[in-house]
């Protein structure tokens, strides 16, 4: 177990050294460009001047700097609290209005689907009744044109004058 820890520490040490060497080499190569050198020099000068000014201010009047920072932190804190309250209000508004409307749409769509299913079932029943009526008509029309063989009834063929074939003239 101790050997594994030592190996990991060696690997981490090599990684950190590699990163530092790479950063130094990269910085040196970047400094070959005169524009980059001038920009770094200018930025470093600005940082130096502002840090000197801040250091001088803290050295001369540390209480004022502390109070100034405390005021800034309190101001930022109140702005953040206000933003959080606004976000909470927006959440409640969205939750109350939008979610209720979404639920209402959901209920309405469920009702529409139910009504459509009922209408489909009713349409199916109507179709069945129409089919049944059509069968009734076709069945009764077939029975209407069938010849009936009742004794003593007239059976004439077209063009004959005899009303009963069993009767002689």
């Amino acid at each position: 177990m101790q050997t594994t820890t030592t190996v990991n520490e060696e690997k981490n040490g090599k990684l950190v050294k590699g990163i530092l060497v790479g950063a130094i080499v990269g910085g040196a190569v970047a400094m070959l460009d005169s524009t980059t050198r001038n920009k770094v020099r200018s930025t470093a000068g600005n940082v130096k001047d502002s840090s000197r000014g801040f250091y001088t201010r803290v050295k001369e009047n540390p209480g004022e700097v502390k109070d100034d920072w405390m005021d800034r932190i309190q101001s930022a804190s109140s702005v953040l609290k206000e933003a959080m309250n606004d976000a909470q209000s927006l959440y409640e508004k969205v939750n109350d209005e939008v979610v209720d409307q979404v639920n209402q749409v959901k209920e309405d769509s469920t009702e529409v689907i139910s009504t459509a299913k009922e209408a489909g079932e009713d349409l199916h029943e109507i179709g069945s009744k129409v089919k049944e009526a059509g069968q009734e008509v076709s069945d009764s029309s077939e029975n209407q044109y069938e010849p009936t063989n009742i004794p003593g009834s007239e059976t004439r063929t077209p063009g004959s004058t005899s009303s009963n074939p069993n009767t002689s003239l």
Side-chain angles (χ1 to χ4, degrees):
M1 186 71 175
Q2 193 175 18
T3 314
T4 307
T5 306
T6 307
V7 171
N8 285 340
E9 287 175 359
E10 287 178 14
K11 286 182 181 179
N12 289 339
K14 288 181 182 178
L15 177 65
V16 171
K17 287 178 187 175
I19 290 173
L20 288 175
V21 169
I24 291 170
V25 170
V29 169
M31 295 309 258
L32 294 176
D33 182 38
S34 63
T35 306
T36 305
R37 281 194 309 269
N38 290 334
K39 199 173 202 177
V40 167
R41 191 178 302 130
S42 171
T43 304
N46 290 339
V47 169
K48 180 181 172 185
D49 292 341
S50 59
S51 61
R52 261 193 214 160
F54 183 73
Y55 176 76
T56 304
R57 232 175 104 205
V58 170
K59 187 177 178 183
E60 290 174 2
N61 197 350
E64 182 183 326
V65 173
K66 179 188 142 209
D67 291 341
D68 182 43
W69 275 97
M70 292 300 287
D71 288 343
R72 288 182 185 190
I73 290 171
Q74 286 177 349
S75 176
S77 175
S78 67
V79 168
L80 284 174
K81 285 180 184 177
E82 212 176 291
M84 288 173 57
N85 288 334
D86 291 347
Q88 180 68 29
S89 297
L90 179 63
Y91 171 76
E92 290 171 357
K93 181 179 179 182
V94 166
N95 195 28
D96 291 343
E97 293 177 9
V98 174
V99 173
D100 287 345
Q101 290 177 0
V102 167
N103 288 336
Q104 184 63 40
V105 168
K106 184 179 175 183
E107 289 174 15
D108 291 347
S109 63
T110 302
E111 289 177 18
V112 167
I113 290 171
S114 176
T115 303
K117 285 181 181 179
E118 289 175 13
E121 291 169 2
D122 291 345
L123 188 60
H124 182 70
E125 287 178 26
I126 291 170
S128 296
K129 289 179 181 178
V130 168
K131 184 177 178 182
E132 184 180 321
Q135 287 176 346
E136 288 284 329
V137 168
S138 68
D139 287 348
S140 68
S141 66
E142 289 175 10
N143 290 336
Q144 184 179 10
Y145 296 111
E146 287 183 12
T148 57
N149 294 330
I150 301 173
S153 67
E154 297 180 350
T155 52
R156 288 193 285 169
T157 57
S160 71
T161 55
S162 158
S163 58
N164 192 343
N166 296 333
T167 334
S168 56
L169 290 170

